[in-house]
Amino acid sequence: MTRASQPEHDHDPDRRRLLRRAATVVAGTAGAGVAATVGLPGTAQAAPGGNLTMGTTNDAGPATTTVNATSGYGTLLLRNTGGAPLRLVPGESIYPQVLDAALGTLAVDDQGDLFVKAGADDADQATAGWAWTSEWATTSVAVAPTRVLDTRDPNLRRAIVSGAGDLDATGRLVPGKPVVLSLDGYVRDGYALKGNVTVTGMTGGGVLTVWGSGPRPVTSTVNWWTSGQVLSNFLFTELGAVGAYRSVLTLQATSSPTHVILDLTSLLVGHPSQVLVNRA
């Protein structure tokens, strides 16, 4: 699905908010195809087939929803012949309501972009994200360089959500003991990050591996061969998920303990609004 071409001024956020306040949609009825319309709001509630004020939650029952791009603006078509429901909620309610909603739930965020809960029937396999468009498809958002981990500093170890008890007395990673770092305070459901990783304070040669989540890859992110070194390497890796944490990194050292410093410079996301830190 691609976004239909629009006049350049349509991207102005204030104008888009104004248009959204005045927008209405037509409620679906079982077995019927109806198209979304734009106009002045009518009643706050209406019978199936009538105009509904956008910004309220509307449940038309089981429905298959498609978006057809025609010349000019796209048309939202509700066939209602089976499948997931179309649910319209205020943009400010995307989190956590849409994340916890039924598969097929659609919402419009505060920037006017379409958010979809999709995936497999198994809720654990479901995904949620913005509908693919040529404007917002998996973009790399540069952020002001931000130190998210420094095991030498207790204040910069606070983002460790698993394995903190396995650090040695000075805060160094212990060989074979993974630690999980949550970046949920920096990005919402991020795909990957770019940054810089540094090792220092090691007691001998060793290897550091940084990855998202799951089993440790049989690879290295940075290597060192003796004690007392300070070595850095560019980091570009996926973000994983562990339990309630949706954007995590896992770090593990081998052979010798080491301090680790991680600086964030860019985040890969489906939509820039997922980035929660200052953009560069």
Side-chain angles (χ1 to χ4, degrees), residues 91 94-96 99 109-110 115 128-130 183-191 239 246-247 267-277 279:
I94 284 183
Y95 299 98
L99 294 181
D109 69 9
D110 58 0
F115 191 89
W130 282 270
L183 298 179
D184 286 7
Y186 302 91
V187 62
R188 193 164 47 216
D189 294 306
Y191 299 152
L239 289 168
R246 310 309 301 167
S247 301
L267 289 157
L268 268 72
V269 292
H271 190 284
S273 66
Q274 291 173 256
V275 176
L276 306 177
V277 292
R279 301 173 194 174

Side-chain angles (χ1 to χ4, degrees), residues 14-245:
D14 292 333
R15 184 175 186 276
R16 290 164 70 182
R17 290 190 194 94
L18 181 62
L19 287 173
R20 190 161 65 254
R21 290 194 193 100
T24 63
V25 298
V26 178
T29 57
V34 295
T37 62
V38 176
L40 292 177
T43 59
Q45 298 181 355
N51 290 336
L52 300 179
T53 303
M54 187 173 290
T56 61
T57 298
N58 307 289
D59 189 349
T64 298
T65 303
T66 60
V67 175
N68 298 332
T70 57
S71 58
Y73 294 91
T75 299
L76 182 63
L77 182 65
L78 309 182
R79 296 192 182 280
N80 293 333
T81 57
L86 172 69
R87 302 180 64 185
L88 304 179
V89 301
E92 293 78 8
S93 299
I94 284 183
Y95 299 98
Q97 286 89 335
V98 174
L99 294 181
D100 297 333
L103 295 177
T105 298
L106 305 180
V108 177
D109 69 9
D110 58 0
Q111 297 298 311
D113 291 292
L114 185 65
F115 191 89
V116 183
K117 178 69 177 289
D121 291 337
D122 184 348
D124 292 336
Q125 301 297 318
T127 60
W130 282 270
W132 190 94
T133 69
S134 57
E135 184 176 2
W136 297 125
T138 311
T139 182
S140 178
V141 179
V143 300
T146 304
R147 183 149 296 180
V148 297
L149 175 68
D150 185 341
T151 59
R152 302 170 300 177
D153 182 350
N155 290 324
L156 288 171
R157 296 199 295 260
R158 292 179 177 175
I160 296 176
V161 295
S162 178
D166 292 325
L167 301 175
D168 73 8
T170 67
R172 292 179 299 191
L173 271 67
V174 174
K177 299 290 187 179
V179 299
V180 177
L181 180 73
S182 171
L183 298 179
D184 286 7
Y186 302 91
V187 62
R188 193 164 47 216
D189 294 306
Y191 299 152
L193 68 76
K194 297 177 184 177
N196 195 65
V197 61
T198 302
V199 291
T200 187
M202 63 285 290
T203 60
V207 173
L208 175 72
T209 301
V210 182
W211 74 101
S213 58
R216 181 178 69 88
V218 188
T219 56
S220 67
T221 303
V222 60
N223 305 330
W224 58 97
W225 55 94
T226 187
S227 62
Q229 294 183 293
V230 180
L231 296 174
S232 299
N233 197 14
F234 173 72
L235 178 67
F236 183 12
T237 189
E238 66 171 347
L239 289 168
V242 174
Y245 300 102

